[in-house]
Amino acid sequence: LVKRYKLEILTTLANASNISTILREFQTYVLSADKDFAAQTIHAIGRCASTISEVTEACLNGLVA
């Protein structure tokens, strides 16, 4: 439950100056054994990609990889 709140908080706080750090953290979350949490992380990455235009392409490339 706590990790889901952290995911939500990080997504809300994401901006152009901190997004690279947040995305690095999300990369580890995507590999979680908790598949529901990994799916929520992918959704969070998508939200970041849609709200922070500077990282849209990087987010999409990371999800494809």
Short mmCIF file of all heavy atoms in Angstrom, two decimals:
data_model
loop_
_atom_site.label_atom_id
_atom_site.label_comp_id
_atom_site.label_asym_id
_atom_site.label_seq_id
_atom_site.Cartn_x
_atom_site.Cartn_y
_atom_site.Cartn_z
N LEU A 1 0.83 -1.19 0.00
CA LEU A 1 0.00 0.00 0.00
C LEU A 1 0.87 1.26 0.00
O LEU A 1 0.59 2.19 -0.73
CB LEU A 1 -0.94 -0.02 1.20
CG LEU A 1 -1.96 1.10 1.29
CD1 LEU A 1 -2.89 1.10 0.11
CD2 LEU A 1 -2.73 1.00 2.58
N VAL A 2 1.92 1.25 0.80
CA VAL A 2 2.80 2.41 0.89
C VAL A 2 3.48 2.69 -0.44
O VAL A 2 3.57 3.84 -0.88
CB VAL A 2 3.85 2.22 2.02
CG1 VAL A 2 4.88 3.32 1.99
CG2 VAL A 2 3.17 2.16 3.37
N LYS A 3 3.91 1.62 -1.12
CA LYS A 3 4.60 1.83 -2.40
C LYS A 3 3.66 2.43 -3.44
O LYS A 3 4.08 3.19 -4.29
CB LYS A 3 5.27 0.55 -2.90
CG LYS A 3 4.35 -0.61 -3.15
CD LYS A 3 5.14 -1.85 -3.50
CE LYS A 3 4.23 -3.03 -3.70
NZ LYS A 3 4.99 -4.24 -4.00
N ARG A 4 2.39 2.11 -3.35
CA ARG A 4 1.43 2.70 -4.29
C ARG A 4 1.22 4.19 -4.00
O ARG A 4 1.10 4.99 -4.92
CB ARG A 4 0.12 1.94 -4.23
CG ARG A 4 0.31 0.54 -4.79
CD ARG A 4 -0.98 -0.16 -5.07
NE ARG A 4 -0.69 -1.40 -5.76
CZ ARG A 4 -0.89 -2.61 -5.25
NH1 ARG A 4 -1.41 -2.74 -4.06
NH2 ARG A 4 -0.59 -3.69 -5.93
N TYR A 5 1.20 4.54 -2.73
CA TYR A 5 1.12 5.96 -2.37
C TYR A 5 2.36 6.71 -2.84
O TYR A 5 2.27 7.82 -3.34
CB TYR A 5 0.93 6.14 -0.86
CG TYR A 5 -0.46 5.85 -0.37
CD1 TYR A 5 -0.66 5.03 0.74
CD2 TYR A 5 -1.58 6.39 -1.00
CE1 TYR A 5 -1.94 4.76 1.19
CE2 TYR A 5 -2.86 6.11 -0.55
CZ TYR A 5 -3.03 5.29 0.55
OH TYR A 5 -4.30 5.03 0.99
N LYS A 6 3.51 6.08 -2.66
CA LYS A 6 4.76 6.71 -3.10
C LYS A 6 4.74 6.92 -4.61
O LYS A 6 5.13 7.97 -5.11
CB LYS A 6 5.95 5.85 -2.70
CG LYS A 6 7.28 6.48 -3.07
CD LYS A 6 8.45 5.63 -2.62
CE LYS A 6 9.76 6.28 -3.04
NZ LYS A 6 10.91 5.44 -2.69
N LEU A 7 4.25 5.94 -5.34
CA LEU A 7 4.14 6.05 -6.79
C LEU A 7 3.25 7.24 -7.17
O LEU A 7 3.61 8.04 -8.03
CB LEU A 7 3.57 4.75 -7.37
CG LEU A 7 3.36 4.69 -8.86
CD1 LEU A 7 4.69 4.74 -9.60
CD2 LEU A 7 2.61 3.41 -9.22
N GLU A 8 2.13 7.37 -6.49
CA GLU A 8 1.20 8.47 -6.76
C GLU A 8 1.82 9.82 -6.43
O GLU A 8 1.70 10.78 -7.18
CB GLU A 8 -0.09 8.25 -5.94
CG GLU A 8 -1.28 9.00 -6.44
CD GLU A 8 -1.64 8.69 -7.88
OE1 GLU A 8 -1.58 7.53 -8.31
OE2 GLU A 8 -2.00 9.65 -8.59
N ILE A 9 2.53 9.88 -5.32
CA ILE A 9 3.17 11.13 -4.91
C ILE A 9 4.26 11.53 -5.91
O ILE A 9 4.34 12.68 -6.33
CB ILE A 9 3.75 11.01 -3.49
CG1 ILE A 9 2.60 10.94 -2.47
CG2 ILE A 9 4.69 12.17 -3.16
CD1 ILE A 9 3.03 10.51 -1.08
N LEU A 10 5.09 10.56 -6.30
CA LEU A 10 6.16 10.86 -7.25
C LEU A 10 5.59 11.33 -8.58
O LEU A 10 6.11 12.27 -9.20
CB LEU A 10 7.06 9.65 -7.46
CG LEU A 10 7.98 9.29 -6.30
CD1 LEU A 10 8.71 7.97 -6.59
CD2 LEU A 10 8.97 10.40 -6.04
N THR A 11 4.52 10.70 -9.02
CA THR A 11 3.89 11.09 -10.28
C THR A 11 3.35 12.52 -10.19
O THR A 11 3.51 13.31 -11.12
CB THR A 11 2.76 10.12 -10.64
OG1 THR A 11 3.29 8.79 -10.68
CG2 THR A 11 2.15 10.45 -11.99
N THR A 12 2.76 12.85 -9.06
CA THR A 12 2.21 14.18 -8.87
C THR A 12 3.29 15.25 -8.81
O THR A 12 3.13 16.35 -9.33
CB THR A 12 1.36 14.22 -7.58
OG1 THR A 12 0.34 13.22 -7.67
CG2 THR A 12 0.73 15.59 -7.38
N LEU A 13 4.41 14.91 -8.18
CA LEU A 13 5.50 15.88 -8.01
C LEU A 13 6.42 15.99 -9.23
O LEU A 13 7.26 16.88 -9.28
CB LEU A 13 6.34 15.51 -6.79
CG LEU A 13 5.64 15.59 -5.44
CD1 LEU A 13 6.57 15.10 -4.34
CD2 LEU A 13 5.18 17.01 -5.16
N ALA A 14 6.27 15.11 -10.18
CA ALA A 14 7.18 15.08 -11.34
C ALA A 14 7.11 16.38 -12.12
O ALA A 14 6.03 16.92 -12.40
CB ALA A 14 6.82 13.91 -12.25
N ASN A 15 8.29 16.89 -12.47
CA ASN A 15 8.39 18.07 -13.33
C ASN A 15 9.66 17.93 -14.17
O ASN A 15 10.40 16.95 -14.02
CB ASN A 15 8.38 19.37 -12.52
CG ASN A 15 9.51 19.46 -11.52
OD1 ASN A 15 10.66 19.16 -11.83
ND2 ASN A 15 9.19 19.88 -10.31
N ALA A 16 9.90 18.89 -15.03
CA ALA A 16 11.03 18.78 -15.97
C ALA A 16 12.37 18.68 -15.25
O ALA A 16 13.29 18.03 -15.76
CB ALA A 16 11.03 19.97 -16.92
N SER A 17 12.49 19.25 -14.08
CA SER A 17 13.79 19.24 -13.40
C SER A 17 14.06 17.96 -12.61
O SER A 17 15.22 17.61 -12.38
CB SER A 17 13.93 20.45 -12.48
OG SER A 17 12.98 20.39 -11.44
N ASN A 18 13.02 17.21 -12.22
CA ASN A 18 13.26 16.00 -11.43
C ASN A 18 12.82 14.71 -12.12
O ASN A 18 12.98 13.63 -11.57
CB ASN A 18 12.57 16.11 -10.07
CG ASN A 18 11.06 16.16 -10.15
OD1 ASN A 18 10.46 15.85 -11.17
ND2 ASN A 18 10.43 16.56 -9.07
N ILE A 19 12.31 14.82 -13.32
CA ILE A 19 11.74 13.65 -13.99
C ILE A 19 12.77 12.56 -14.25
O ILE A 19 12.45 11.37 -14.16
CB ILE A 19 10.99 14.04 -15.29
CG1 ILE A 19 10.19 12.86 -15.84
CG2 ILE A 19 11.93 14.61 -16.33
CD1 ILE A 19 9.08 12.38 -14.95
N SER A 20 14.01 12.90 -14.54
CA SER A 20 14.99 11.84 -14.83
C SER A 20 15.22 10.98 -13.59
O SER A 20 15.31 9.75 -13.70
CB SER A 20 16.31 12.45 -15.33
OG SER A 20 16.87 13.29 -14.35
N THR A 21 15.26 11.58 -12.42
CA THR A 21 15.42 10.81 -11.18
C THR A 21 14.20 9.94 -10.93
O THR A 21 14.31 8.77 -10.56
CB THR A 21 15.63 11.78 -9.99
OG1 THR A 21 16.76 12.59 -10.28
CG2 THR A 21 15.86 11.02 -8.70
N ILE A 22 13.04 10.50 -11.13
CA ILE A 22 11.80 9.75 -10.91
C ILE A 22 11.68 8.59 -11.89
O ILE A 22 11.33 7.47 -11.50
CB ILE A 22 10.58 10.70 -11.00
CG1 ILE A 22 10.58 11.64 -9.78
CG2 ILE A 22 9.27 9.92 -11.09
CD1 ILE A 22 9.54 12.72 -9.82
N LEU A 23 12.03 8.81 -13.15
CA LEU A 23 11.94 7.73 -14.13
C LEU A 23 12.92 6.60 -13.81
O LEU A 23 12.61 5.43 -14.04
CB LEU A 23 12.17 8.27 -15.54
CG LEU A 23 11.02 9.11 -16.10
CD1 LEU A 23 11.41 9.68 -17.45
CD2 LEU A 23 9.74 8.31 -16.19
N ARG A 24 14.10 6.95 -13.28
CA ARG A 24 15.04 5.89 -12.88
C ARG A 24 14.43 5.03 -11.76
O ARG A 24 14.56 3.81 -11.76
CB ARG A 24 16.36 6.49 -12.42
CG ARG A 24 17.31 6.80 -13.56
CD ARG A 24 18.73 7.06 -13.08
NE ARG A 24 18.84 8.18 -12.15
CZ ARG A 24 18.92 9.46 -12.51
NH1 ARG A 24 18.91 9.78 -13.80
NH2 ARG A 24 19.03 10.41 -11.61
N GLU A 25 13.74 5.67 -10.85
CA GLU A 25 13.08 4.92 -9.79
C GLU A 25 11.95 4.06 -10.36
O GLU A 25 11.79 2.90 -9.99
CB GLU A 25 12.53 5.88 -8.74
CG GLU A 25 11.87 5.17 -7.59
CD GLU A 25 12.25 5.72 -6.23
OE1 GLU A 25 13.11 6.60 -6.14
OE2 GLU A 25 11.66 5.24 -5.27
N PHE A 26 11.19 4.63 -11.28
CA PHE A 26 10.11 3.87 -11.90
C PHE A 26 10.63 2.65 -12.65
O PHE A 26 9.94 1.63 -12.73
CB PHE A 26 9.31 4.77 -12.86
CG PHE A 26 8.39 5.75 -12.17
CD1 PHE A 26 7.64 6.64 -12.93
CD2 PHE A 26 8.25 5.81 -10.80
CE1 PHE A 26 6.78 7.56 -12.33
CE2 PHE A 26 7.40 6.72 -10.18
CZ PHE A 26 6.66 7.59 -10.96
N GLN A 27 11.82 2.75 -13.22
CA GLN A 27 12.39 1.61 -13.93
C GLN A 27 12.53 0.40 -13.00
O GLN A 27 12.30 -0.73 -13.42
CB GLN A 27 13.76 1.95 -14.53
CG GLN A 27 13.67 2.83 -15.75
CD GLN A 27 15.04 3.25 -16.26
OE1 GLN A 27 15.99 3.41 -15.49
NE2 GLN A 27 15.14 3.45 -17.55
N THR A 28 12.90 0.63 -11.76
CA THR A 28 12.99 -0.48 -10.82
C THR A 28 11.61 -0.98 -10.43
O THR A 28 11.42 -2.19 -10.23
CB THR A 28 13.80 -0.11 -9.56
OG1 THR A 28 13.13 0.93 -8.87
CG2 THR A 28 15.21 0.32 -9.92
N TYR A 29 10.64 -0.09 -10.33
CA TYR A 29 9.28 -0.50 -9.98
C TYR A 29 8.66 -1.40 -11.05
O TYR A 29 7.90 -2.31 -10.73
CB TYR A 29 8.38 0.73 -9.81
CG TYR A 29 8.69 1.63 -8.64
CD1 TYR A 29 7.96 2.80 -8.46
CD2 TYR A 29 9.71 1.36 -7.74
CE1 TYR A 29 8.21 3.66 -7.40
CE2 TYR A 29 9.98 2.22 -6.69
CZ TYR A 29 9.23 3.36 -6.52
OH TYR A 29 9.48 4.21 -5.48
N VAL A 30 8.97 -1.12 -12.30
CA VAL A 30 8.40 -1.91 -13.40
C VAL A 30 8.82 -3.38 -13.30
O VAL A 30 8.08 -4.27 -13.70
CB VAL A 30 8.81 -1.30 -14.77
CG1 VAL A 30 8.46 -2.23 -15.91
CG2 VAL A 30 8.12 0.04 -14.96
N LEU A 31 9.97 -3.63 -12.72
CA LEU A 31 10.48 -5.00 -12.59
C LEU A 31 9.96 -5.71 -11.34
O LEU A 31 10.36 -6.84 -11.06
CB LEU A 31 12.01 -4.97 -12.57
CG LEU A 31 12.67 -4.33 -13.79
CD1 LEU A 31 14.18 -4.24 -13.60
CD2 LEU A 31 12.31 -5.08 -15.05
N SER A 32 9.06 -5.09 -10.61
CA SER A 32 8.53 -5.65 -9.37
C SER A 32 7.82 -6.98 -9.62
O SER A 32 7.17 -7.19 -10.65
CB SER A 32 7.53 -4.66 -8.76
OG SER A 32 6.86 -5.23 -7.66
N ALA A 33 7.96 -7.87 -8.64
CA ALA A 33 7.24 -9.16 -8.72
C ALA A 33 5.73 -8.95 -8.57
O ALA A 33 4.94 -9.79 -9.01
CB ALA A 33 7.76 -10.09 -7.63
N ASP A 34 5.33 -7.84 -7.99
CA ASP A 34 3.93 -7.49 -7.85
C ASP A 34 3.46 -6.92 -9.19
O ASP A 34 3.70 -5.76 -9.51
CB ASP A 34 3.78 -6.45 -6.73
CG ASP A 34 2.34 -6.00 -6.49
OD1 ASP A 34 1.46 -6.28 -7.34
OD2 ASP A 34 2.10 -5.35 -5.46
N LYS A 35 2.81 -7.74 -9.97
CA LYS A 35 2.44 -7.35 -11.34
C LYS A 35 1.44 -6.20 -11.38
O LYS A 35 1.48 -5.37 -12.28
CB LYS A 35 1.88 -8.56 -12.12
CG LYS A 35 2.88 -9.68 -12.28
CD LYS A 35 4.16 -9.18 -12.92
CE LYS A 35 5.20 -10.26 -13.01
NZ LYS A 35 6.53 -9.77 -13.34
N ASP A 36 0.57 -6.13 -10.39
CA ASP A 36 -0.38 -5.01 -10.34
C ASP A 36 0.36 -3.70 -10.11
O ASP A 36 0.06 -2.69 -10.75
CB ASP A 36 -1.42 -5.25 -9.24
CG ASP A 36 -2.50 -4.19 -9.22
OD1 ASP A 36 -3.07 -3.92 -10.31
OD2 ASP A 36 -2.78 -3.64 -8.14
N PHE A 37 1.35 -3.73 -9.22
CA PHE A 37 2.15 -2.53 -8.97
C PHE A 37 2.96 -2.16 -10.20
O PHE A 37 3.06 -0.98 -10.55
CB PHE A 37 3.07 -2.77 -7.77
CG PHE A 37 3.94 -1.59 -7.44
CD1 PHE A 37 3.39 -0.38 -7.06
CD2 PHE A 37 5.32 -1.69 -7.51
CE1 PHE A 37 4.20 0.71 -6.76
CE2 PHE A 37 6.13 -0.62 -7.21
CZ PHE A 37 5.57 0.60 -6.83
N ALA A 38 3.52 -3.15 -10.89
CA ALA A 38 4.27 -2.87 -12.12
C ALA A 38 3.35 -2.23 -13.16
O ALA A 38 3.75 -1.27 -13.84
CB ALA A 38 4.88 -4.16 -12.67
N ALA A 39 2.13 -2.71 -13.27
CA ALA A 39 1.17 -2.12 -14.22
C ALA A 39 0.82 -0.69 -13.83
O ALA A 39 0.71 0.18 -14.70
CB ALA A 39 -0.09 -2.98 -14.28
N GLN A 40 0.66 -0.42 -12.54
CA GLN A 40 0.39 0.94 -12.09
C GLN A 40 1.57 1.85 -12.39
O GLN A 40 1.38 3.03 -12.71
CB GLN A 40 0.08 0.95 -10.59
CG GLN A 40 -1.25 0.33 -10.26
CD GLN A 40 -1.51 0.26 -8.77
OE1 GLN A 40 -0.63 0.50 -7.95
NE2 GLN A 40 -2.73 -0.06 -8.41
N THR A 41 2.77 1.32 -12.29
CA THR A 41 3.96 2.10 -12.61
C THR A 41 3.99 2.46 -14.09
O THR A 41 4.30 3.59 -14.45
CB THR A 41 5.24 1.33 -12.22
OG1 THR A 41 5.19 1.03 -10.82
CG2 THR A 41 6.48 2.14 -12.53
N ILE A 42 3.65 1.52 -14.94
CA ILE A 42 3.59 1.79 -16.37
C ILE A 42 2.57 2.89 -16.66
O ILE A 42 2.82 3.80 -17.46
CB ILE A 42 3.27 0.50 -17.16
CG1 ILE A 42 4.47 -0.45 -17.07
CG2 ILE A 42 2.90 0.80 -18.61
CD1 ILE A 42 4.20 -1.85 -17.56
N HIS A 43 1.46 2.83 -15.97
CA HIS A 43 0.43 3.88 -16.13
C HIS A 43 0.99 5.23 -15.67
O HIS A 43 0.77 6.26 -16.32
CB HIS A 43 -0.81 3.49 -15.34
CG HIS A 43 -1.93 4.45 -15.47
ND1 HIS A 43 -2.65 4.61 -16.63
CD2 HIS A 43 -2.46 5.32 -14.58
CE1 HIS A 43 -3.56 5.54 -16.45
NE2 HIS A 43 -3.47 5.98 -15.21
N ALA A 44 1.73 5.23 -14.56
CA ALA A 44 2.32 6.47 -14.05
C ALA A 44 3.33 7.04 -15.04
O ALA A 44 3.40 8.26 -15.24
CB ALA A 44 2.98 6.21 -12.70
N ILE A 45 4.12 6.19 -15.65
CA ILE A 45 5.08 6.64 -16.66
C ILE A 45 4.33 7.28 -17.83
O ILE A 45 4.73 8.32 -18.34
CB ILE A 45 5.97 5.48 -17.14
CG1 ILE A 45 6.89 5.01 -16.00
CG2 ILE A 45 6.81 5.89 -18.36
CD1 ILE A 45 7.62 3.72 -16.28
N GLY A 46 3.23 6.68 -18.22
CA GLY A 46 2.41 7.25 -19.29
C GLY A 46 1.87 8.63 -18.92
O GLY A 46 1.85 9.53 -19.76
N ARG A 47 1.46 8.79 -17.66
CA ARG A 47 0.97 10.10 -17.22
C ARG A 47 2.09 11.13 -17.27
O ARG A 47 1.87 12.27 -17.69
CB ARG A 47 0.38 10.01 -15.82
CG ARG A 47 -0.97 9.31 -15.80
CD ARG A 47 -1.64 9.48 -14.47
NE ARG A 47 -0.72 9.20 -13.37
CZ ARG A 47 -0.99 8.42 -12.33
NH1 ARG A 47 -2.14 7.84 -12.24
NH2 ARG A 47 -0.11 8.21 -11.38
N CYS A 48 3.28 10.73 -16.84
CA CYS A 48 4.43 11.65 -16.90
C CYS A 48 4.73 12.01 -18.35
O CYS A 48 5.02 13.17 -18.66
CB CYS A 48 5.66 11.02 -16.25
SG CYS A 48 5.54 10.87 -14.46
N ALA A 49 4.67 11.02 -19.23
CA ALA A 49 4.95 11.26 -20.64
C ALA A 49 3.96 12.25 -21.24
O ALA A 49 4.33 13.08 -22.08
CB ALA A 49 4.93 9.95 -21.42
N SER A 50 2.73 12.19 -20.80
CA SER A 50 1.72 13.08 -21.38
C SER A 50 1.75 14.48 -20.79
O SER A 50 1.31 15.43 -21.43
CB SER A 50 0.32 12.48 -21.24
OG SER A 50 -0.06 12.42 -19.89
N THR A 51 2.27 14.62 -19.57
CA THR A 51 2.27 15.94 -18.94
C THR A 51 3.59 16.69 -19.04
O THR A 51 3.61 17.90 -18.91
CB THR A 51 1.87 15.85 -17.45
OG1 THR A 51 2.78 14.99 -16.77
CG2 THR A 51 0.46 15.34 -17.28
N ILE A 52 4.68 15.97 -19.28
CA ILE A 52 6.00 16.61 -19.37
C ILE A 52 6.55 16.35 -20.76
O ILE A 52 7.17 15.31 -21.03
CB ILE A 52 6.96 16.08 -18.28
CG1 ILE A 52 6.32 16.26 -16.90
CG2 ILE A 52 8.30 16.80 -18.35
CD1 ILE A 52 7.07 15.56 -15.78
N SER A 53 6.31 17.28 -21.67
CA SER A 53 6.63 17.07 -23.08
C SER A 53 8.10 16.81 -23.34
O SER A 53 8.45 16.12 -24.30
CB SER A 53 6.13 18.24 -23.91
OG SER A 53 6.78 19.43 -23.49
N GLU A 54 8.97 17.31 -22.46
CA GLU A 54 10.41 17.11 -22.66
C GLU A 54 10.81 15.64 -22.58
O GLU A 54 11.86 15.25 -23.12
CB GLU A 54 11.23 17.88 -21.62
CG GLU A 54 11.10 19.38 -21.70
CD GLU A 54 9.97 19.94 -20.84
OE1 GLU A 54 9.10 19.16 -20.39
OE2 GLU A 54 9.94 21.15 -20.63
N VAL A 55 10.03 14.82 -21.91
CA VAL A 55 10.41 13.41 -21.73
C VAL A 55 9.46 12.43 -22.40
O VAL A 55 9.58 11.23 -22.24
CB VAL A 55 10.54 13.05 -20.23
CG1 VAL A 55 11.65 13.82 -19.58
CG2 VAL A 55 9.22 13.25 -19.50
N THR A 56 8.53 12.93 -23.17
CA THR A 56 7.53 12.05 -23.80
C THR A 56 8.19 10.94 -24.60
O THR A 56 7.91 9.76 -24.41
CB THR A 56 6.58 12.85 -24.70
OG1 THR A 56 5.91 13.83 -23.89
CG2 THR A 56 5.58 11.96 -25.38
N GLU A 57 9.10 11.31 -25.47
CA GLU A 57 9.76 10.31 -26.31
C GLU A 57 10.59 9.32 -25.49
O GLU A 57 10.56 8.12 -25.72
CB GLU A 57 10.64 10.98 -27.37
CG GLU A 57 11.15 10.01 -28.41
CD GLU A 57 11.84 10.71 -29.56
OE1 GLU A 57 11.54 11.89 -29.82
OE2 GLU A 57 12.67 10.06 -30.20
N ALA A 58 11.33 9.83 -24.51
CA ALA A 58 12.14 8.96 -23.66
C ALA A 58 11.27 7.98 -22.88
O ALA A 58 11.64 6.80 -22.74
CB ALA A 58 12.99 9.81 -22.71
N CYS A 59 10.14 8.44 -22.39
CA CYS A 59 9.24 7.55 -21.67
C CYS A 59 8.72 6.44 -22.56
O CYS A 59 8.72 5.27 -22.18
CB CYS A 59 8.04 8.34 -21.11
SG CYS A 59 8.43 9.42 -19.73
N LEU A 60 8.28 6.80 -23.74
CA LEU A 60 7.75 5.81 -24.66
C LEU A 60 8.84 4.83 -25.09
O LEU A 60 8.58 3.61 -25.15
CB LEU A 60 7.13 6.49 -25.87
CG LEU A 60 5.92 7.36 -25.55
CD1 LEU A 60 5.41 8.07 -26.79
CD2 LEU A 60 4.80 6.54 -24.92
N ASN A 61 10.02 5.32 -25.35
CA ASN A 61 11.13 4.42 -25.73
C ASN A 61 11.46 3.47 -24.57
O ASN A 61 11.73 2.28 -24.80
CB ASN A 61 12.38 5.21 -26.13
CG ASN A 61 12.20 5.91 -27.45
OD1 ASN A 61 11.37 5.53 -28.27
ND2 ASN A 61 12.97 6.95 -27.66
N GLY A 62 11.44 3.99 -23.35
CA GLY A 62 11.72 3.15 -22.19
C GLY A 62 10.67 2.08 -22.01
O GLY A 62 10.99 0.93 -21.66
N LEU A 63 9.41 2.40 -22.24
CA LEU A 63 8.35 1.40 -22.10
C LEU A 63 8.46 0.32 -23.18
O LEU A 63 8.22 -0.86 -22.90
CB LEU A 63 6.98 2.08 -22.17
CG LEU A 63 6.61 2.90 -20.95
CD1 LEU A 63 5.32 3.67 -21.21
CD2 LEU A 63 6.46 2.02 -19.72
N VAL A 64 8.83 0.71 -24.37
CA VAL A 64 8.96 -0.27 -25.45
C VAL A 64 10.14 -1.21 -25.18
O VAL A 64 10.06 -2.42 -25.41
CB VAL A 64 9.11 0.43 -26.82
CG1 VAL A 64 9.48 -0.55 -27.90
CG2 VAL A 64 7.83 1.16 -27.16
N ALA A 65 11.23 -0.63 -24.66
CA ALA A 65 12.43 -1.43 -24.37
C ALA A 65 12.12 -2.39 -23.23
O ALA A 65 12.53 -3.51 -23.20
CB ALA A 65 13.60 -0.53 -24.00
#
